Amino acid sequence: MRIDIITVVPDILTSPFEVSILKRAIEKGLVEIHLHNLRDYVTDNYKQIDDYQFGGGAGMVMMIEPIDKCISALKSERNYDEIIYMTPDGERFNQRMANSLSLKENIIILCGHYKGVDQRVRDHFITREISIGDYVLSGGELAAAVVCDSIIRLIPGVLGNETSALTDSFQDDLLAPPVYTRPAEYKGWKVPEILTSGNFPKIETWREEQSYLRTKKLRPDLLGEY
């Protein structure tokens, strides 16, 4: 997989890909991450990529021309499965969407900034708009990092145990069950006996029941899909 991220502030996005699982995925050649500074696609001395909005109003708007130049340059080199715009008013990101995107080959992610982008960018270039929640960030970079992390970890070979991702919360529209590790008793707090019984069919049944009960208590909204 190749992910091209278009941003006004690429420095925000360097560290997430230099540590832990994402770093190993890149080193293994399982994913390529390319950061593109939008200011490299303007010719004026001020490297201006935003301007006042027509009709007045507070907040600057990212201009269409540098975005067009950047996307067009990338598309001239390869085909892209999705051109994603990170925006608070986009489709709410979820695990099902992460699963789908992890199967793509080439993705562009455009990070919004300021008041957003010229609407013509959304109308003519963007294939999908994604939000990570109903709140506003200073820019789309952190949201893009979240999306990248969630889809890269699903690529075969990225995690040491590939079945781990299949048992994560939301994979079956349920939350993950409680998990425990050694010691079996700590300060009088004991691990449920079923987990140390060695009876794996019963353990799986217990985990399924706990997932349902936990979801019912904490996220009953998910049970409609389940």
Side-chain angles (χ1 to χ4, degrees), residues 22-144:
L22 301 188
K23 178 183 179 181
R24 292 196 296 271
I26 294 171
E27 290 176 343
K28 288 180 180 180
L30 299 174
V31 64
E32 294 182 32
I33 303 293
H34 297 270
L35 304 180
H36 305 274
N37 190 336
L38 196 57
R39 298 187 191 279
D40 293 338
Y41 294 86
V42 294
T43 56
D44 70 278
N45 294 332
Y46 298 101
K47 298 294 182 180
Q48 183 178 355
I49 49 81
D50 63 311
D51 207 340
Y52 296 102
Q53 53 183 308
F54 283 121
M60 305 293 281
V61 178
M62 294 173 66
M63 301 161 67
I64 186 172
E65 185 175 5
I67 296 173
D68 178 17
K69 287 181 178 179
C70 184
I71 292 177
S72 296
L74 292 172
K75 290 177 67 175
S76 69
E77 298 173 353
R78 65 193 61 80
N79 294 321
Y80 284 90
D81 303 295
E82 295 279 10
I83 301 178
I84 298 168
Y85 174 49
M86 302 305 306
T87 173
D89 57 3
E91 181 182 4
R92 181 81 67 85
F93 191 63
N94 58 29
Q95 190 63 43
R96 188 178 291 110
M97 199 183 303
N99 293 340
S100 175
L101 290 174
S102 72
L103 302 176
K104 306 298 183 182
E105 185 175 351
N106 298 312
I107 295 174
I108 292 175
I109 300 179
L110 171 63
C111 300
H113 218 67
Y114 310 115
K115 197 66 175 177
V117 300
D118 187 303
Q119 181 61 38
R120 290 169 291 186
V121 173
R122 304 172 76 163
D123 293 340
H124 299 287
F125 299 110
I126 302 303
T127 63
R128 193 165 204 168
E129 300 186 354
I130 293 178
S131 166
I132 63 168
D134 296 339
Y135 48 87
V136 178
L137 300 172
S138 298
E141 286 76 18
L142 296 179

Side-chain angles (χ1 to χ4, degrees), residues 3 105 149:
I3 303 177
E105 185 175 351
D149 187 301

Side-chain angles (χ1 to χ4, degrees), residues 147-167:
V147 170
C148 288
D149 187 301
S150 66
I151 64 179
I152 290 172
R153 66 190 304 276
L154 296 171
I155 298 173
V158 171
L159 296 180
N161 184 346
E162 292 182 13
T163 61
S164 176
L166 299 178
T167 56

